[in-house]
């Protein structure tokens, strides 16, 4: 597949809407086009932006109160009856408090439930670790048969929410609170399970998801100045992974960095490593949150302090390149 | 499906169902006879008399839904569904065996005519709310029945759902508590007492009916009252006897989750002759 942009093309990476906001807008558009789409929230509709859908389609919006377990299983009941329910809350609450219901009422019978967790990662900022979802990729990926999606920007979120509605089966979409740098042109197409190569390169591959996609593009620009050519891949679908793109990167380049706003030992990176080790074992480095809970603070300062920046991705890339045989 | 409303005839079916429960669980060498026997009249009355269903067309959009939230008592459900014609009666004795459509807990992957997979306690009312909301959106006359265990309602999610259903005025939703007073570790009142149970549901704004859940005419009246109740969900607090119909199993916590031996099977079937 041809890369979207040539390596010499600089990304502007202007701040766009938060992916949660894009999610809310996409839901409204879906509501217009598909009468079977229904939305449930657990008293965070203003924060998850599902309130926009609720305003426009009050009959198809179900406020469940602060009761995530109940909400998820109500969603499953609606799905059993042919609806396309989106259940939404902060990711930390949806995945942790609703996990049992995601497992038994959605994953196990494989009903057509869409779960969307906003406020993922540590970039939510001041609210602190009880609200920060740093294990949701791990939890969602552990649900057999689930699809797990983590869009990088508003364009990706809009397109992938619509792809999610068209897909028949249970899935989880991870959204963020902070405004996200715009990575994509509005006409970019997305396919669930098919990654996007954003930059060509032949010394190292940066495989990132969510907010770390933009950081990886910035890292690639730094590396380019040092004479290291980095391929950048947006792995927006974490389950099922794009096995071909990973194997190709491992075979052609042989040094891989995975970057994610998630616990580093249980998210995107370890899943990519499994495919690399099964196909073309290669030097790998990992950028993520290291076995800790973060703290309150401004989002930017938190990303700096917990090592989720372009500088961290670039440093990992240098290590990976050094380790190449 | 031709409805059967004659209580004597329904009682006859219930007795056959009890025989099959004993045979299935004995053959499987594991399972939950006590709660399957206590819930028998509830399931028989719903499927043969109350629910609008068509076993020849199990995915009929306007059918009534049945959720066995206390999924471990599925032998009763499997036997009733087989007698209705949903699934083969001659395979009931494959219960819990590898590849059987009759899984240890209800599983729509193996038996698609089930309305929901269950087995993890506490989830049925929420599922039922979802189905009841969908019926309302679709202007469907479908009603949703959810059978709960008494121990099961110790789960917090039940009370989240109990708060939610009246908010949406789901008068097409009916929950039935199979109040047999015994759970795995012993008597409910000792493990985690539910009383005053009817007051709890009433205070959550449900229409409540208390009845003898092994008495078919009482159940018929209860379901009619539920159907006639507007703007509120109904819960039937159905007092039942755990192990009903087999003297040595009745009110005996041992038979919550222990299969009968071949000797016990023989004695049980003699009592159910």
């Amino acid at each position: 597949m041809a890369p979207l942009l040539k390596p010499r093309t600089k990304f502007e990476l202007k701040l766009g809407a938060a992916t949660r906001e894009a999610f809310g807008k996409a839901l409204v558009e879906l509501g217009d086009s598909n009468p079977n789409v229904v939305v449930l929230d657990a008293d965070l509709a203003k924060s998850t932006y599902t309130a926009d859908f609720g305003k426009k389609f009050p009959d198809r919006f179900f406020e469940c109160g602060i009761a995530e377990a109940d909400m998820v299983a109500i969603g499953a009941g609606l799905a059993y009856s042919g609806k396309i329910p989106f259940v939404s809350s902060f990711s930390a609450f949806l995945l942790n408090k609703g996990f049992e219901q995601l497992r038994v009422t959605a994953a196990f019978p494989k009903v057509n439930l869409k779960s969307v967790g906003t406020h993922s990662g540590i970039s939510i900022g001041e609210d602190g670790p009880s609200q920060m979802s740093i294990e949701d990729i791990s939890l969602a990926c552990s649900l057999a048969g689930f699809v797990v999606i983590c869009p990088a920007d508003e364009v990706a979120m809009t397109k992938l929410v619509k792809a999610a509605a068209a897909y028949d089966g249970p899935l989880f979409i991870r959204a963020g609170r902070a405004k996200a740098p715009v990575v994509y042109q509005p006409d970019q197409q997305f396919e669930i399970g098919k990654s996007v190569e954003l930059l060509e390169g032949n010394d190292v591959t940066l495989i990132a998801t969510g907010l770390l996609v933009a950081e990886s593009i910035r890292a690639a620009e730094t590396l380019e100045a040092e004479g290291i050519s980095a391929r950048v891949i947006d792995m927006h679908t974490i389950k099922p992974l794009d096995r071909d793109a990973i194997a190709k990167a491992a075979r052609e380049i042989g040094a891989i960095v995975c970057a994610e706003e998630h616990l580093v030992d249980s998210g995107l990176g370890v899943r990519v490593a499994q495919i690399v080790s099964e196909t073309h074992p290669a030097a790998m480095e990992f950028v993520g949150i290291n076995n800790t809970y973060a703290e309150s603070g401004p989002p930017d300062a938190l990303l700096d302090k917990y090592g989720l920046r372009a500088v961290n991705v670039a440093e990992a890339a240098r290590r990976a390149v050094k380790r190449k045989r | 499906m031709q409805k059967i409303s004659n209580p004597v005839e329904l009682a006859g079916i219930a007795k056959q169902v009890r025989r099959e429960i004993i045979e299935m669980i004995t053959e499987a060498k594991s399972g939950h006879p006590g709660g399957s026997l206590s819930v028998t009249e509830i399931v028989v009355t719903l499927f043969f008399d109350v629910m609008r269903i068509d076993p020849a067309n199990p995915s009929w959009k306007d059918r009534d839904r049945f959720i066995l939230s206390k999924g471990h008592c599925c032998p009763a459900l499997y036997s009733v569904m087989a007698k209705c014609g949903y699934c083969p009666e001659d395979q009931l004795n494959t219960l819990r065996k590898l590849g059987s459509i009759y899984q240890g807990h209800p599983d729509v992957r193996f038996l698609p005519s089930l309305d929901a997979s269950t087995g993890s306690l506490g989830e049925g009312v929420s599922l039922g709310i979802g189905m009841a909301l969908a019926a309302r959106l679709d202007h469907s006359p479908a009603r949703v029945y959810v059978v709960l265990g008494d121990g099961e309602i110790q789960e917090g999610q039940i009370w989240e759902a109990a708060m939610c259903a009246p908010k949406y005025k789901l008068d097409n939703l009916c929950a039935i508590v199979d109040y047999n007073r015994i759970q795995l570790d012993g008597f409910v009142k000792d493990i985690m007492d539910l009383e005053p149970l009817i007051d709890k549901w009433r205070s959550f704004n449900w229409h409540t009916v208390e009845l003898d859940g092994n008495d078919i005419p009482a159940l018929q009246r209860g379901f009619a009252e539920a159907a006639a109740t507007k703007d509120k969900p109904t819960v039937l607090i159905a007092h039942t006897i755990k192990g009903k119909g087999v003297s040595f199993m009745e009110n005996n916590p041992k038979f919550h989750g222990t299969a009968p031996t071949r000797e016990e099977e023989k004695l049980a079937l003699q009592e159910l002759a």
Side-chain angles (χ1 to χ4, degrees):
Chain A
M1 190 185 74
L4 178 68
L5 293 162
K6 300 296 174 201
R8 302 293 173 264
T9 309
K10 295 294 178 201
F11 279 78
E12 282 189 63
L13 297 179
K14 284 183 188 158
L15 270 190
T19 50
R20 60 174 167 144
E21 196 176 345
F23 158 61
K25 279 190 182 155
L27 277 186
V28 172
E29 290 171 26
L30 275 175
D32 276 323
S33 62
N34 191 336
N36 278 327
V37 169
V38 298
V39 176
L40 298 83
D41 208 293
D43 192 41
L44 287 169
K46 287 176 193 159
S47 302
T48 61
Y49 283 90
T50 61
D52 297 348
F53 183 97
K55 250 178 241 149
K56 188 145 187 214
F57 308 104
D59 294 346
R60 286 190 271 152
F61 177 75
F62 303 108
E63 174 56 76
C64 297
I66 307 170
E68 295 79 8
D70 189 37
M71 174 181 70
V72 171
I74 292 172
L78 282 153
Y80 269 118
S81 289
K83 301 298 169 194
I84 305 173
F86 282 78
V87 298
S88 183
S89 182
F90 283 13
S91 198
F93 310 140
L94 180 64
L95 262 295
N96 291 286
K97 300 191 187 206
F99 186 77
E100 146 76 9
Q101 291 69 25
L102 288 169
R103 188 177 95 91
V104 180
T105 71
F108 158 53
K110 218 169 180 191
V111 304
N112 194 20
L113 180 79
K114 319 302 174 189
S115 56
V116 182
T118 66
H119 295 65
S120 62
I122 64 172
S123 57
I124 71 163
E126 289 79 359
D127 274 347
S130 67
Q131 328 285 301
M132 289 171 172
S133 194
I134 56 171
E135 57 284 276
D136 49 3
I137 292 175
S138 168
L139 289 167
C141 286
S142 72
L143 295 166
F146 248 63
V147 165
V148 178
I149 297 171
C150 181
D153 75 355
E154 58 183 71
V155 178
M157 177 58 88
T158 304
K159 299 282 175 73
L160 285 163
V161 167
K162 289 174 185 173
Y167 167 80
D168 185 17
L171 57 76
F172 170 68
I173 300 176
R174 189 180 203 236
R177 172 179 183 267
K179 289 187 181 305
V182 179
V183 173
Y184 290 107
Q185 299 296 321
D187 60 351
Q188 175 72 33
Q189 295 303 304
F190 291 87
E191 193 183 325
I192 290 173
K194 183 82 189 154
S195 63
V196 179
E197 188 177 307
L198 288 161
L199 287 175
E200 282 182 342
N202 45 37
D203 295 321
V204 63
T205 302
L206 312 180
I207 300 177
T209 196
L211 216 49
L212 270 290
V213 173
E215 296 296 332
S216 296
I217 291 168
R218 291 182 177 125
E221 289 174 353
T222 304
L223 292 165
E224 192 186 333
E226 299 169 17
I228 298 173
S229 152
R231 177 181 297 178
V232 177
I233 294 175
D234 172 10
M235 197 60 71
H236 55 72
T237 305
I238 301 170
K239 186 180 181 178
L241 278 172
D242 186 346
R243 194 178 175 89
D244 292 345
I246 294 166
K248 183 167 172 278
R251 185 178 68 244
E252 292 177 353
I253 301 181
I256 294 175
V257 174
C258 293
E260 59 195 306
E261 193 188 359
H262 188 273
L263 286 172
V264 76
D265 60 358
S266 60
L268 169 72
V270 293
R271 297 176 59 78
V272 170
Q274 182 180 10
I275 291 177
V276 171
S277 60
E278 283 169 0
T279 54
H280 301 278
M284 290 190 72
E285 294 286 335
F286 303 90
V287 173
I289 300 160
N290 284 294
N291 199 30
T292 189
Y293 296 99
E295 63 195 282
S296 292
D300 282 342
L302 286 166
L303 294 170
D304 289 341
K305 179 165 180 179
Y306 289 89
L308 302 177
R309 287 302 206 182
V311 62
N312 310 103
V313 178
E315 189 48 46
R318 290 181 202 107
R319 290 197 303 269
V321 169
K322 257 186 213 159
R323 286 175 51 207
K324 260 169 94 166
R325 272 175 258 160
Chain B
M1 195 175 114
Q2 188 65 45
K3 277 186 191 295
I4 298 174
S5 301
N6 179 341
V8 177
E9 211 175 324
L10 289 169
I13 294 170
K15 186 183 266 190
Q16 293 168 27
V17 168
R18 286 200 163 90
R19 290 180 61 88
E20 290 186 343
I21 289 168
I22 296 296
E23 289 168 352
M24 291 165 82
I25 298 176
T26 306
E27 177 66 27
K29 300 191 181 70
S30 69
H32 300 80
S36 301
L37 294 169
S38 69
V39 83
T40 298
E41 280 83 4
I42 294 169
V43 183
V44 166
T45 304
L46 278 171
F47 274 80
F48 283 94
D49 183 27
V50 176
M51 292 200 297
R52 292 171 69 248
I53 49 176
D54 179 5
N57 184 12
S59 56
W60 176 32
K61 204 166 164 37
D62 288 335
R63 73 190 184 279
D64 289 349
R65 265 62 169 188
F66 179 85
I67 300 167
L68 187 64
S69 195
K70 46 174 268 175
H72 54 282
C73 298
C74 55
L77 176 59
Y78 295 155
S79 168
V80 168
M81 286 177 69
K83 288 185 181 305
C84 288
Y86 285 103
C87 44
E89 197 164 11
D90 61 5
Q91 290 177 29
L92 286 173
N93 280 351
T94 65
L95 175 74
R96 291 175 167 250
K97 296 206 161 81
L98 189 66
S100 174
I101 60 169
Y102 300 119
Q103 293 283 295
H105 291 79
D107 187 337
V108 293
R109 298 174 307 160
F110 289 85
L111 188 54
S113 51
L114 287 164
D115 287 320
S117 292
T118 51
S120 178
L121 296 175
E123 297 175 340
V125 182
S126 310
L127 285 168
I129 290 171
M131 294 180 192
L133 288 171
R136 176 180 292 173
L137 284 172
D138 292 338
H139 307 289
S140 166
R143 292 182 56 76
V144 182
Y145 297 91
V146 181
V147 173
L148 303 167
D150 47 7
E152 175 181 17
I153 66 177
Q154 292 159 354
E155 289 279 6
Q157 188 187 344
I158 292 292
W159 302 101
E160 294 183 359
M163 261 188 283
C164 182
K167 173 193 165 177
Y168 287 105
K169 301 186 177 5
L170 293 175
D171 53 21
N172 54 352
L173 177 67
C174 177
I176 304 101
V177 179
D178 179 15
Y179 201 176
N180 61 36
R181 295 175 186 271
I182 291 173
Q183 59 189 113
L184 192 146
D185 273 344
F187 291 92
V188 173
K189 67 175 169 42
D190 300 324
I191 305 298
M192 188 56 67
D193 198 4
L194 304 172
E195 291 299 333
L197 183 57
I198 199 157
D199 293 347
K200 287 189 172 73
W201 288 95
R202 203 175 277 144
S203 72
F204 278 68
N205 291 322
W206 287 62
H207 179 66
T208 57
V209 181
E210 201 164 12
L211 49 75
D212 178 344
N214 296 127
D215 177 342
I216 288 167
L219 285 165
Q220 289 172 316
R221 287 192 298 274
F223 288 122
E225 185 173 330
T229 300
K230 295 300 165 204
D231 297 330
K232 271 186 173 193
T234 294
V235 59
L236 308 185
I237 308 295
H239 295 280
T240 60
I241 293 172
K242 191 110 175 182
K244 172 80 175 175
V246 180
S247 60
F248 58 91
M249 291 187 172
E250 287 192 358
N251 292 313
N252 182 352
K254 177 190 159 187
F255 286 102
H256 168 87
T258 307
T261 62
R262 284 290 174 197
E263 187 56 31
E264 286 166 341
E265 177 192 36
K266 206 169 132 193
L267 293 171
L269 293 177
Q270 278 168 12
E271 292 189 17
L272 293 166

